[in-house]
Amino acid sequence: MAEAGLALLVAAVSGLVPLINIELYLVGAVVAVDDGALVAMAVAAGLGQTLGKLPYYYVGRGSLEIPWFKRRARTPGKWAARAEAWRARAEDSPVWGMGLLAVSSLVSVPPFMVVSVLAGVVRMGPVAFCTVTLLTRTARFLVVVFAPAWALSVLPA
């Protein structure tokens, strides 16, 4: 259970600070824990990432006035025009916006931090944001922990 708690903490911090990589942490855990703990860690990491991205979402909504977050939430140059087009389309079609959030959360393209801010800008509901993020991040982390475990199981010893 301590593994899941630590994964939650690392994931929440990595959601806030992009330099910390939860995927590397989880891959390292593959060799140290059993499959049951890997599932718990993947779910905990999904929850931690959801919590870690909430401040970016609230910056996009204009509800959070923390200068550090506002600086981190600014879209980089090449993404600025794309983000504006996505914002316009997401405001016109909320389902498209949730789809974009799901794809970004699952594969990190476009950058998930940018899309988290965009979700706040287009006024996606916080329950929808958290639900989509939790489900897709958890799915991502299940793949991250079981792909190496599967590869280790099929390699000759």
Side-chain angles (χ1 to χ4, degrees), residues 51-68:
L51 295 173
K53 293 302 181 191
L54 271 174
Y56 291 107
Y57 167 81
Y58 282 112
V59 163
R61 284 184 73 104
S63 304
L64 196 58
E65 295 291 331
I66 298 174
W68 183 83

Side-chain angles (χ1 to χ4, degrees), residues 6-16 22 44-50 52 141:
L6 192 55
L8 176 81
L9 179 64
V10 172
V13 173
S14 76
L16 293 170
I22 184 62
L47 178 59
Q49 280 275 295
T50 301
F141 298 140

Side-chain angles (χ1 to χ4, degrees), residues 8-145:
L8 176 81
L9 179 64
V10 172
V13 173
S14 76
L16 293 170
V17 183
L19 296 175
I20 298 171
N21 191 312
I22 184 62
E23 287 86 354
L24 287 177
Y25 175 81
L26 291 173
V27 167
V30 168
V31 296
V33 299
D34 62 17
D35 287 354
L38 289 175
V39 171
M41 289 177 70
V43 172
L47 178 59
Q49 280 275 295
T50 301
L51 295 173
K53 293 302 181 191
L54 271 174
Y56 291 107
Y57 167 81
Y58 282 112
V59 163
R61 284 184 73 104
S63 304
L64 196 58
E65 295 291 331
I66 298 174
W68 183 83
F69 280 119
K70 287 187 90 83
R71 279 193 309 274
R72 291 292 314 152
R74 286 192 200 116
T75 54
K78 73 177 186 175
W79 288 101
R82 291 179 190 165
E84 179 57 31
W86 294 331
R87 183 197 59 76
R89 184 145 185 215
E91 284 178 345
D92 293 340
S93 174
V95 172
W96 187 89
M98 289 195 339
L100 176 65
L101 177 67
V103 168
S104 176
S105 177
L106 190 62
V107 298
S108 293
V109 175
F112 186 48
M113 185 180 70
V114 172
V115 174
S116 296
V117 174
L118 177 67
V121 168
V122 300
R123 299 287 190 208
M124 180 183 290
V127 172
F129 175 80
C130 289
T131 301
V132 170
T133 300
L134 177 62
L135 291 175
T136 53
R137 288 313 258 187
T138 299
R140 173 189 176 96
F141 298 140
L142 284 169
V143 170
V144 164
V145 297

